Amino acid sequence: MADAINLTGLSTEELLRQMGDDLYDGLAAEVEAEVHECLRRGMTAYDVMTTGLVAGMDIVGIDFRDGILFVPEVLMAAKAMKAGMAILHPLLAETGAQKIGKMVIGTVKGDIHDIGKNLVAMMMEGAGFEVSNIGINSDADKFMGAIREHNPDIIGMSALLTTTMPYMRVVIQRLKDEGIRLDLIVLVGGAPLNSAFAEDIEADRYCRDAAVAVETAKKLMLIKREKAAA
Ligand code: B1M
């Protein structure tokens, strides 16, 4: 247990390994302490997130797939991950910059995975976007409601299951039916997706991770603004 370990005595590599072990064991308080220690050492919030929390969750995913971990244990790990993310959120989201665009993001219908989507939302906020995070299990009506309320430039959809990713096509079809598809940039992401799938469902881009989502959003916003100005 981390509280039995003097974290300051660990090398940064050992500290990150310990964070991964504690995340695996669902020890939220220990993960929080390790996140604080990484930040105290001057690591950026992004590096703590990717080399600590996300790397730890990757191991959970492998053992979940292989039947070594089960849903209750994965839920505990997810809770520990969220505890760590809560500390990093204000750091990732802090920006003095003027808002560069609006995004509505949600996990699609039938899917309750939200860690990756929340990470994307935080990074987008940090990059200067105004983000409305509509949560999990979002159907086309929920996306439409949020679009009417927030008038976004970008729609972000997340799916972690092969059974839920096809629902993204339903949302995009709804945007077409409502005559607003071409007004919006549609970005999709989630572990089972790829660029070919994004192209097939007529999304604008597949984003492999949160950093790519930010990069892509900025690039496509620039093109959108240039087109509007022309
Ligand atoms: Co689930 N689960 N799960 N699960 N779970 C997976 C996805 C799975 C791959 C595990 C495995 O078998 N190895 C597998 C899916 C298999 C498949 O469909 N191919 C699976 C399964 C089967 C299930 C259940 C069906 C299990 C069951 O009940 N029998 C069930 C489904 C429930 C449902 O949704 N209806 C289920 C449940 C759960 C928990 C509730 C226990 C928990 C979710 C908790 C939560 O999210 N609050 C959970 C977890 C934690 C996982 C794993 C282990 C980790 C997911 C995660 O958070 N990764 C996952 C294994 C894995 O993915 N390796 C697994 C960390 C996160 C930072 O990465 O989400 O990929 P990720 O996000 C990345 C990118 O993908 C991208 O950027 C993010 C950050 O860099 N990205 C976007 C994601 N969304 C984006 C949106 C964008 C852009 C980029 O928009 C612009």
Side-chain angles (χ1 to χ4, degrees):
M1 301 247 303
D3 61 357
I5 294 172
N6 176 13
L7 295 180
T8 54
L10 299 179
S11 69
T12 299
E13 197 182 319
E14 289 166 332
L15 178 61
L16 289 169
R17 203 174 314 127
Q18 186 63 44
M19 190 189 296
D21 288 350
D22 288 333
L23 190 140
Y24 188 97
D25 291 335
L27 302 173
E30 285 76 358
V31 169
E32 285 172 347
E34 286 140 7
V35 167
H36 281 303
E37 176 59 18
C38 285
L39 293 173
R40 195 191 63 76
R41 292 183 189 198
M43 281 181 76
T44 64
Y46 182 69
D47 283 348
V48 179
M49 178 71 75
T50 51
T51 58
L53 298 177
V54 173
M57 190 51 97
D58 282 346
I59 311 287
V60 172
I62 291 165
D63 283 1
F64 188 30
R65 179 197 63 205
D66 295 344
I68 296 165
L69 290 180
F70 297 95
V71 170
E73 288 124 318
V74 179
L75 271 175
M76 292 295 289
K79 213 168 152 192
M81 172 122 188
K82 285 186 174 183
M85 279 167 63
I87 297 167
L88 300 176
H89 186 175
L91 301 171
L92 289 168
E94 82 187 5
T95 170
Q98 207 186 347
K99 295 295 171 210
I100 54 176
K102 285 192 196 172
M103 176 189 224
V104 162
I105 188 167
T107 302
V108 298
K109 184 179 169 186
D111 202 318
I112 62 169
H113 295 86
D114 66 354
I115 294 172
K117 182 253 309 161
N118 290 344
L119 181 46
V120 172
M122 285 179 203
M123 296 271 302
M124 291 289 294
E125 281 178 33
F129 286 86
E130 194 179 317
V131 180
S132 307
N133 186 340
I134 62 171
I136 55 171
N137 196 20
S138 304
D139 63 13
D141 285 343
K142 198 167 167 189
F143 275 101
M144 280 310 303
I147 291 167
R148 284 191 198 102
E149 187 180 344
H150 302 288
N151 190 22
D153 305 286
I154 304 173
I155 300 299
M157 289 190 274
S158 178
L160 267 286
L161 298 172
T162 45
T163 50
T164 57
M165 55 191 256
Y167 192 78
M168 291 177 169
R169 191 192 294 278
V170 176
V171 177
I172 291 175
Q173 185 57 49
R174 181 67 178 275
L175 300 179
K176 287 185 191 167
D177 294 345
E178 301 276 346
I180 56 171
R181 171 65 189 92
L182 297 178
D183 303 336
L184 294 161
I185 296 165
V186 179
L187 303 181
V188 295
L193 278 65
N194 56 34
S195 298
F197 173 78
E199 201 176 320
D200 187 50
I201 64 169
E202 297 178 50
D204 289 301
R205 293 284 192 286
Y206 159 68
C207 306
R208 186 184 64 240
D209 59 29
V212 170
V214 167
E215 223 174 84
T216 310
K218 280 183 171 173
K219 207 185 300 168
L220 296 187
M221 275 304 296
L222 203 65
I223 295 171
K224 187 179 173 176
R225 297 247 185 273
E226 278 168 3
K227 268 190 191 158

